[in-house]
Amino acid sequence: MFLVRTSYLLKNGCVLSMDAKIGQYKRADVLIQDSLIMAIQPDLDIPDAEIIDASSMIIMPGLVDTHRHMWESLVKTAGTNWSLPVYLQNLYYGAMGSKLRPQDSYIANLLGSLEALNAGVTTVMDWSMPYSPDHTDELIRGLQDAGIRAVFAHGVPGETDYWNRDSQLTYSNNDVRRVKERYFSSRDQLLTYGLAIRGPEFSHWDTTVKEIELAQELDAICSMHAGFGSWGSVDRSISHLYEAGLLSPRVNIVHGNTMGMDEYKMLADSGASLSVTPEVEMMMGHGYPATGYFLEHGGTPTLGVDVVTSTGGDMFSQMKFALQAERSRANEQLLQQGEMPGELNLQSSQVLRFATSAGAQALGLEQKVGTLAPGKEADLIMIRTTDLNMFPVHDPIGAVVQFANPSNVDTVFVAGRLVKREGKLLNVDLDAIRHAAMQSKDYLLTQYRMSDAERITFS
């Protein structure tokens, strides 16, 4: 029995490899064979490959979202006027999130993953807080059926008081080892395993130590919210983790808006990653995005959407928010000194790196994705440059970071498999998915009615 090899040849595209050795091509071809990128160069001739015309496209790595609560696709748009406390009140503490049935968890993660793929996000960290083993299984199945690459960050339920610093709730109450063995025994797959822990600001210190040690034992990314809101500068949690030797490249800190300046250096020196979710942070009251602070102390931030209750599930918006918020911060400092800015302090190319190669590294996937290079997995997207909001393109990187939106994403590959082509998701029954999602939404609203979720007022 002979294996049938699937080959695609993307012809004459503008290639943004995000790999320093390969660089950019104004015009080049990309050869995909099975799950891998085999070659990037002009004028390839591969007789057996299916040719895809990329002459009006930007070819680049798929975008990497390092922090998103995927299940919240079921409550999309509900929180456009929510602060962080109001958001938590509506979704946790026995509210909407606790009312999910396993089947709701499945459709939530499937819907959220398809939204991401449609927007060119090929990799995501799903920061999840399942309420039972059945919920966990269905959340994972939703990711699997969507065909997205993901880190399933396995958390503890939000039913108990998330803010209780004396909480002794640990993963001994969860089924971590079952999940790890059943779904993540191999790293040669689209889904990898992580832990979404409460961290020292939201649990007992001993609990944090045990959970970080558990993540090390399981060879899992360990992600926690830390250093944000009014308590971020008070708790000094990053310094405590650093002094205890608990920070490492396998640790991912989310937000970090109000940490001490020395703590950004501690993060950078340890190799730990920082997920900045700029739009939600500025809106909800987490604090000013820490993009520049981390850069100034030797780190490279990554980007995430965080919650689609309050913003769209695409990374183009987050790149723009991160870029302009940081530029505004630096410009304001100059203006206060009576000066005008010359060269802007943050470049589009840096932000594109945050959303691709830096994100892949933060999730432990840099050997597979995040850049385009022979031997890497073929996670890539093609962006149309003939659309009116893009045409004509003088600077391809600037076009992606400051002009593109999900409607420009023409084609998406994940591990060499076409999931979107000519602007349409493939092999997906969207009508059936919408129907199932509406059933789940209607059910949840019978169990808990969110404040302001369904009231429309005009003044």
Side-chain angles (χ1 to χ4, degrees):
M1 182 177 180
F2 296 96
L3 292 176
V4 177
R5 299 181 71 84
T6 303
S7 299
Y8 296 97
L9 184 60
L10 317 183
K11 293 289 293 183
N12 298 320
C14 171
V15 179
L16 307 178
S17 73
M18 304 307 296
D19 184 303
K21 295 180 180 179
I22 294 173
Q24 302 177 41
Y25 285 92
K26 289 185 178 179
R27 184 186 66 81
D29 305 337
V30 178
L31 175 62
I32 299 170
Q33 198 162 70
D34 294 333
S35 66
L36 301 179
I37 297 169
M38 302 304 292
I40 303 174
Q41 65 183 67
D43 303 320
L44 287 171
D45 183 15
I46 311 295
D48 296 332
E50 179 180 343
I51 294 175
I52 296 179
D53 181 11
S55 58
S56 61
M57 307 282 185
I58 294 170
I59 304 172
M60 59 169 284
L63 297 165
V64 180
D65 179 343
T66 60
H67 186 74
R68 188 183 305 205
H69 303 280
M70 296 294 279
W71 81 266
E72 293 179 14
S73 65
L74 284 182
V75 286
K76 196 177 298 176
T77 77
T80 59
N81 296 306
W82 287 351
S83 67
L84 179 59
V86 175
Y87 160 83
L88 293 169
Q89 172 191 334
N90 277 295
L91 294 191
Y92 300 104
Y93 305 138
M96 185 68 77
S98 68
K99 308 304 181 184
L100 290 167
R101 301 166 298 180
Q103 61 264 41
D104 304 319
S105 296
Y106 168 76
I107 196 63
N109 265 24
L110 177 60
L111 179 65
S113 297
L114 292 176
E115 178 187 15
L117 288 169
N118 185 63
V121 180
T122 55
T123 300
V124 66
M125 176 184 271
D126 177 19
W127 217 96
S128 188
M129 293 180 283
Y131 281 77
S132 75
D134 288 341
H135 286 82
T136 300
D137 292 343
E138 290 300 280
L139 288 165
I140 293 170
R141 188 167 71 93
L143 297 172
Q144 289 174 328
D145 286 359
I148 198 169
R149 191 182 300 275
V151 175
F152 179 72
H154 194 174
V156 294
E159 182 69 30
T160 54
D161 186 356
Y162 198 82
W163 306 92
N164 183 358
R165 287 167 170 76
D166 297 322
S167 171
Q168 291 291 334
L169 181 63
T170 71
Y171 283 90
S172 62
N173 296 332
N174 219 316
D175 62 336
V176 165
R177 287 181 173 82
R178 176 192 73 87
V179 171
K180 171 73 173 177
E181 181 178 349
R182 178 173 178 181
Y183 296 107
F184 303 99
S185 58
S186 170
R187 294 185 67 84
D188 188 23
Q189 57 186 32
L190 289 180
L191 300 189
T192 51
Y193 194 57
L195 293 187
I197 75 168
R198 294 179 176 227
E201 293 176 16
F202 308 110
S203 67
H204 193 279
W205 172 255
D206 292 342
T207 300
T208 295
V209 173
K210 290 177 183 177
E211 291 175 345
I212 292 176
E213 290 174 346
L214 177 60
Q216 293 170 343
E217 175 192 335
L218 298 174
D219 189 26
I221 293 291
C222 184
S223 181
M224 70 193 83
H225 298 77
F228 67 104
S230 59
W231 54 88
S233 59
V234 175
D235 283 339
R236 297 278 300 172
S237 57
I238 299 303
S239 63
H240 299 320
L241 291 168
Y242 182 77
E243 291 161 4
L246 294 173
L247 294 178
S248 75
R250 303 293 284 174
V251 170
N252 168 249
I253 301 299
V254 183
H255 303 313
N257 310 82
T258 55
M259 302 184 327
M261 289 298 129
D262 59 329
E263 291 182 299
Y264 294 113
K265 188 173 190 307
M266 293 174 192
L267 273 188
D269 288 349
S270 68
S273 62
L274 178 67
S275 293
V276 175
T277 66
E279 185 175 4
V280 161
E281 289 166 3
M282 288 193 291
M283 166 190 165
M284 283 189 169
H286 298 64
Y288 207 81
T291 307
Y293 303 136
F294 197 42
L295 282 169
E296 290 164 3
H297 291 88
T300 300
T302 68
L303 298 177
V305 166
D306 200 355
V307 295
V308 296
T309 57
S310 307
T311 185
D314 72 276
M315 290 286 284
F316 300 109
S317 297
Q318 302 316 313
M319 286 192 283
K320 281 188 281 235
F321 267 91
L323 181 65
Q324 310 308 2
E326 173 53 26
R327 286 174 169 176
S328 176
R329 183 186 72 89
N331 291 345
E332 187 64 23
Q333 292 175 344
L334 291 172
L335 293 172
Q336 289 176 358
Q337 297 168 12
E339 301 176 21
M340 283 292 292
E343 183 177 353
L344 296 172
N345 68 315
L346 186 61
Q347 300 296 297
S348 297
S349 57
Q350 293 174 274
V351 175
L352 191 58
R353 183 185 172 203
F354 303 164
T356 53
S357 58
Q361 184 172 356
L363 300 184
L365 297 172
E366 69 273 17
Q367 298 302 314
K368 291 186 175 184
V369 299
T371 63
L372 303 184
K376 285 283 192 81
E377 298 264 336
D379 285 22
L380 59 84
I381 64 176
M382 296 167 54
I383 298 175
R384 283 189 308 276
T385 62
T386 54
D387 292 354
L388 289 177
N389 64 304
M390 297 280 285
F391 180 85
V393 171
H394 290 264
D395 172 9
I397 291 177
V400 171
V401 174
Q402 298 196 67
F403 289 80
N405 64 57
S407 71
N408 306 126
V409 178
D410 181 272
T411 301
V412 176
F413 284 89
V414 177
R417 185 176 72 89
L418 269 169
V419 298
K420 185 179 183 181
R421 189 168 188 180
E422 296 180 351
K424 294 182 179 180
L425 291 172
L426 303 177
N427 304 311
V428 174
D429 187 344
L430 287 178
D431 287 339
I433 291 169
R434 289 189 185 102
H435 178 72
M438 283 300 297
Q439 287 186 317
S440 288
K441 174 198 169 187
D442 291 344
Y443 167 77
L444 290 175
L445 289 175
T446 67
Q447 303 301 303
Y448 181 87
R449 186 162 295 277
M450 295 177 290
S451 61
D452 296 326
E454 299 220 337
R455 186 171 71 247
I456 299 176
T457 59
F458 299 93
S459 59

